[in-house]
Amino acid sequence: MRTLYKHRNAFTMIELVFVIVVLGILAALALPRMDRDLRQEAKDNILAAIRYTQHLAINDNKTDPSDNTWQKELWQIRFATSNITNRAFFYTISSDTDQDGAVDPEETAIDPANGKYMYNANADPDIDPDESPNIFIGKKYGIDEIEFDEGCEDIQHIAFDHLGRPHTGIGGASNDYSKYMTTDCTIEFGFVDTSITPLTVTIRTETGHVSAI
């Protein structure tokens, strides 16, 4: 009787070594991509927040010629710091409907990502359960400096009207549109990690178009 042997296909040792080397190279290339890109994350968050503010303003026309101070109610995004020591920057999105100069939870936008208030009580560095964690850009991305310049110099907020046009200093606004922003606004965000290039956001006059580099 003859014994029949089947030839089985298998990797040789050289082929196995080659596959391992290739996998090692691919893993080395992929690892940097797994690190958080804090600058890009911050950019996406901030741009989305400003555009969301503008969207709310376009859909909620606050114009009221019978009220000389109606512009105080414009939807606005305001940047602030929770604690002057740790520079925990955050932002709020709100409409001051009672015109008292304070931001209340009921006047604050709801974060569409989680259904929570885009609000921080009393500039508290701790995040309350009903506050959206997305607003805390200091804690999330290590932002420790925000500088407003040009059309919004020394201002911590940007407001929008029903046409999407930007306004500043709306606390002293009146029917004369004197707070309408006539020069492009630039906002620079610096990071604790100085190896991260500062983020510059530009808000255009007339259109309110927002971009970042």
Side-chain angles (χ1 to χ4, degrees):
M1 295 179 64
R2 292 187 301 170
T3 302
L4 299 177
Y5 294 93
K6 287 186 177 181
H7 293 284
R8 294 182 179 179
N9 294 326
F11 289 110
T12 66
M13 183 60 71
I14 294 177
E15 289 172 329
L16 286 173
V17 170
F18 180 75
V19 170
I20 293 172
V21 170
V22 171
L23 289 176
I25 294 172
L26 292 175
L29 293 174
L31 280 176
R33 296 175 178 265
M34 295 173 65
D35 294 337
R36 289 186 64 191
D37 187 343
L38 292 177
R39 188 178 189 278
Q40 184 62 48
E41 290 182 28
K43 175 181 176 180
D44 293 342
N45 184 324
I46 293 167
L47 288 181
I50 296 174
R51 289 167 180 161
Y52 183 42
T53 307
Q54 187 180 42
H55 167 77
L56 292 171
I58 291 173
N59 286 278
D60 185 15
N61 187 357
K62 297 294 185 180
T63 306
D64 182 4
S66 65
D67 179 1
N68 286 331
T69 57
W70 63 265
Q71 285 170 280
K72 292 182 178 181
E73 299 183 29
L74 292 176
W75 281 96
Q76 62 174 296
I77 181 168
R78 179 178 294 274
F79 294 90
T81 179
S82 299
N83 185 304
I84 201 64
T85 301
N86 61 22
R87 306 285 286 175
F89 279 100
F90 67 97
Y91 61 79
T92 57
I93 298 177
S94 64
S95 167
D96 186 10
T97 54
D98 58 12
Q99 299 188 21
D100 68 350
V103 177
D104 304 316
E106 303 76 28
E107 300 173 321
T108 307
I110 299 298
D111 191 335
N114 51 41
K116 297 185 178 183
Y117 290 118
M118 305 186 86
Y119 166 81
N120 181 225
N122 301 316
D124 190 342
D126 296 323
I127 303 174
D128 290 342
D130 60 347
E131 296 173 358
S132 173
N134 291 325
I135 70 173
F136 293 89
I137 54 178
K139 288 186 176 182
K140 287 176 69 71
Y141 314 117
I143 290 175
D144 72 339
E145 184 178 3
I146 303 179
E147 182 178 348
F148 286 74
D149 201 4
E150 298 184 67
C152 55
E153 185 175 5
D154 298 327
I155 299 294
Q156 290 183 298
H157 72 275
I158 297 293
F160 296 94
D161 62 23
H162 66 291
L163 297 178
R165 299 175 300 185
H167 297 248
T168 60
I170 60 173
S174 61
N175 272 329
D176 61 5
Y177 281 87
S178 61
K179 302 302 181 181
Y180 172 67
M181 198 174 76
T182 57
T183 306
D184 292 348
C185 164
T186 60
I187 312 173
E188 184 173 277
F189 299 83
F191 296 83
V192 173
D193 183 351
T194 55
S195 68
I196 301 177
T197 303
L199 175 67
T200 301
V201 172
T202 301
I203 303 174
R204 304 291 181 188
T205 185
E206 295 290 344
T207 62
H209 178 265
V210 186
S211 59
I213 56 173

